[in-house]
């Protein structure tokens, strides 16, 4: 069985960062934060280097730290309401 979040299959929960490459300057703060926290959501690719969301389901559900630290507001997540709706649907309580 894969990873779970509160008993629900993690790969059914669409919670992970999306990067707006129009805004991203490649500072890699998001990647460092991710690695320092022991996660493996991001990898660095390309030249010049830029962050890529390689392992979206390694992302901690509800965590938006990388988005908060991005100096260019280039990272977004679903809204809390969207997350709640998905969790309710998966639990069969909607
Ligand atoms: S923190 Fe923001 S600007 Fe810096 S690499 Fe990540 S997405 Fe790009």
């Amino acid at each position: 069985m894969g990873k779970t979040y509160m008993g629900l299959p993690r790969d059914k929960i669409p919670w992970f960062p999306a990067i707006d490459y129009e805004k991203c300057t490649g500072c890699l703060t998001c990647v460092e934060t991710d690695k320092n926290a022991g996660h493996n959501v991001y990898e660095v690719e390309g030249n010049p280097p830029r962050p890529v969301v390689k392992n979206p389901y390694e992302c901690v559900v509800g965590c938006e730290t990388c988005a908060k630290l991005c100096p260019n507001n280039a990272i977004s997540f679903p809204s809390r309401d969207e997350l709640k709706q998905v969790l309710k649907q998966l639990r069969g309580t909607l």
Side-chain angles (χ1 to χ4, degrees), residues 3 7 9 11 19-20 22 29-30 32 35-36 39 43 47 51 54 58 60 72 74 79 81 83 89-90 92-93:
K3 278 194 167 199
D11 62 1
I19 302 169
D20 180 345
E22 297 282 316
T29 300
C30 53
E32 285 165 23
K35 303 280 181 231
N36 287 344
H39 306 303
E43 283 187 16
N47 186 17
K54 266 283 168 148
E58 295 293 315
V60 177
N72 299 300
S79 71
D81 280 347
L83 175 59
Q89 269 167 2
L90 290 173
T93 55

Side-chain angles (χ1 to χ4, degrees), residues 54-81:
K54 266 283 168 148
N55 299 298
Y57 300 114
E58 295 293 315
C59 182
V60 177
V61 175
C63 177
E64 299 179 69
T65 302
C66 59
K68 288 184 182 139
L69 293 176
C70 173
N72 299 300
N73 203 21
I75 302 174
S76 59
F77 280 88
S79 71
R80 294 272 154 182
D81 280 347

